[in-house]
Amino acid sequence: MRFVRQTVGGLPRTFWMLFSAMLVNRVGAFGLLLLPTYLTTARGTTLAVAGLVTGAYGAGGAGGTLLGGVLADRWGRKATYLAGTSTAAVLMVGLGLARPIWLIAVLAAATGLAHSLPGPATVAAVVDVLPEADRSRAFNLQFWAFNMGGAIAAALAGVIAEFSFLALFLIDASMTAVTAVLVWRLVPETLRRERTPDAGPRRLFPINRARPAGAERGGLGVVLRDRVFLTFVGLTFVLALLTVQGQSILQLAMEGDGLRPSAYGMVVSLGGAMIVVGQLFVPRLIGARRHAVVLSAAFVLLAVGYSTVFLADRLWIYLAAASVWTVGQMLAAPPNASIIAELAPTALRGRYQGVFFLVFPAAGFVAPSVGGWSLQHLDAWHWVVCGALGLAGAAGHLLAARRREARAAQIRRMAPAPQATPEPALA
């Protein structure tokens, strides 16, 4: 079938192994999904405290993304992934067993750090093994897997939480461990390095002193001085802030309307189901349209969707709002991932990914921390503020487009010729 070949054909084995690991991990991503509800119902915290503890997870993740980006360039992609997933599996068990709120907050921050380590390494590995022409559809497939797994997790989590919150954390830990094993056994290291004499026995998490092939002097300072890139990161932070509303604050609003955790699971599952059904068609829908135009349209849809929650007091209204903002997320995913790949110099690919991924845990901290307070004091007007942020993000992408496209063209001219070892395609 032509559509299948155009969507999944010709991608290398390493990509599909990373794709499979992401899907398995997301299917079991129960624990943090309902953390705010767990805190308010099982631990009896206020909305503000639940937001702060959930925000601690995002604060830990902020450090984890930067560390993950640096380690992905130094240790390698595979070792960084294994370090994060194996540590996160242990921490999730502790988080489920912890009772004092301060200990839950500490473990949430540590879990956020561990969960965020693999992100930059995974995307850097995908860019390592794929030519530029294939990256957009590869990132689209990853987004599809992420949300398909999330939809399954949300549907199951709401039901499991009715019986046992502890089971959510234990299943999450088990599935995280499974992904670590999958990557350990099936994914090769993709970071090319200059050959150096063997300094000793192989280690699971090596300190590899060999420089990446084609490396140049520089580090995080180079990334943090790149104004074009940081503007894009700032706009992505707005996108992440809005996305996190549906993962944290929305469930508190629904709880305030007397809806049960299973109802929130339905809302999340709807978004995941829409992505599962429609995401594979997005690359053909957006075609060759400019990234900025697609992202601006996506922000407008996010603004409309979250503003609609201002009127919501029934499940069907929440479902309608979620369907609108989900279309926005679907449109944003491929160009957003492609832009970061275009703006990152080859030798600093992991660091650029680390700074880029920083926006998601940062939003995971800011959105629930401020959002819990905002919802408590502004009530439904909180969602009007979210809508205004979405419109501001839409305008920002249109204004930043010209300089960003010029920088991407410059990076493309400077990139070395690809020297990756050919891999067999699995589709």
Side-chain angles (χ1 to χ4, degrees):
M1 185 177 178
R2 184 179 180 185
F3 171 74
V4 174
R5 290 196 303 271
Q6 291 177 341
T7 304
V8 303
L11 299 177
R13 179 179 183 273
T14 296
F15 168 77
W16 289 114
M17 296 303 101
L18 291 168
F19 174 93
S20 301
M22 173 182 288
L23 182 58
V24 170
N25 195 25
R26 285 294 294 167
V27 167
F30 295 144
L32 276 300
L33 182 65
L34 290 178
L35 181 61
T37 300
Y38 167 69
L39 291 168
T40 56
T41 59
R43 293 288 163 257
T45 67
T46 64
L47 295 178
V49 171
L52 288 172
V53 175
T54 305
Y57 174 82
T65 53
L66 289 178
L67 180 60
V70 173
L71 294 181
D73 284 339
R74 291 188 176 181
W75 284 5
R77 321 310 194 199
K78 181 174 181 176
T80 304
Y81 190 103
L82 293 176
T85 50
S86 57
T87 303
V90 175
L91 290 172
M92 285 299 299
V93 175
L95 189 59
L97 296 174
R99 291 296 177 266
I101 297 301
W102 68 266
L103 180 58
I104 293 175
V106 170
L107 289 172
T111 304
L113 188 149
H115 272 167
S116 297
L117 282 180
T122 300
V123 178
V126 171
V127 177
D128 289 342
V129 301
L130 288 173
E132 183 177 347
D134 289 333
R135 289 172 188 167
S136 179
R137 64 191 181 107
F139 291 134
N140 192 65
L141 286 167
Q142 279 199 315
F143 185 70
W144 180 84
F146 183 88
N147 285 277
M148 180 177 181
I152 297 171
L156 296 176
V159 176
I160 295 173
E162 300 282 348
F163 301 97
S164 171
F165 278 104
L166 176 60
L168 297 178
F169 293 99
L170 297 181
I171 295 173
D172 194 326
S174 300
M175 298 296 274
T176 302
V178 169
T179 63
V181 173
L182 284 174
V183 171
W184 173 50
R185 297 295 298 175
L186 300 175
V187 177
E189 178 55 61
T190 64
L191 177 63
R192 293 186 294 110
R193 295 186 180 278
E194 297 171 353
R195 291 186 176 274
T196 57
D198 190 357
R202 295 174 65 187
R203 300 178 181 178
L204 182 61
F205 307 128
I207 301 177
N208 195 331
R209 294 179 175 82
R211 296 177 68 196
E216 56 195 40
R217 295 182 64 83
L220 281 176
V222 174
V223 185
L224 298 177
R225 290 192 296 271
D226 189 337
R227 294 184 180 179
V228 173
F229 171 71
L230 292 181
T231 300
F232 172 65
V233 169
L235 291 169
T236 306
F237 178 68
V238 176
L239 173 68
L241 277 178
L242 294 174
T243 300
V244 173
Q245 301 302 312
Q247 299 170 356
S248 57
I249 304 304
L250 183 69
Q251 61 187 275
L252 299 178
M254 294 181 70
E255 182 184 347
D257 285 331
L259 298 171
R260 299 178 63 82
S262 56
Y264 172 69
M266 289 180 62
V267 172
V268 177
S269 296
L270 172 66
M274 290 178 60
I275 290 170
V276 168
V277 173
Q279 189 66 44
L280 298 181
F281 296 93
V282 168
R284 299 183 69 181
L285 175 64
I286 63 179
R289 291 178 176 84
R290 294 173 62 201
H291 292 332
V293 173
V294 176
L295 287 170
S296 181
F299 267 89
V300 170
L301 290 171
L302 288 165
V304 172
Y306 283 109
S307 296
T308 301
V309 180
F310 175 78
L311 305 172
D313 59 357
R314 299 285 192 277
L315 177 58
W316 71 269
I317 304 179
Y318 282 104
L319 291 170
S323 67
V324 175
W325 74 60
T326 298
V327 174
Q329 293 169 355
M330 292 167 64
L331 293 178
N336 218 42
S338 294
I339 288 171
I340 176 59
E342 293 169 0
L343 294 179
T346 302
L348 298 176
R349 190 169 283 158
R351 289 173 172 84
Y352 267 73
Q353 293 291 344
V355 173
F356 172 72
F357 269 86
L358 178 64
V359 303
F360 301 103
F365 170 73
V366 174
S369 299
V370 176
W373 178 92
S374 175
L375 188 65
Q376 186 170 329
H377 291 82
L378 299 181
D379 198 25
W381 287 98
H382 167 82
W383 303 105
V384 176
V385 174
C386 290
L389 280 175
L391 295 177
H397 271 296
L398 294 177
L399 293 173
R402 181 174 296 180
R403 293 187 64 190
R404 189 167 63 215
E405 290 165 358
R407 172 62 61 81
Q410 179 185 18
I411 295 295
R412 195 176 298 115
R413 290 193 298 268
M414 296 171 58
Q419 302 177 15
T421 302
E423 293 187 64
L426 295 189

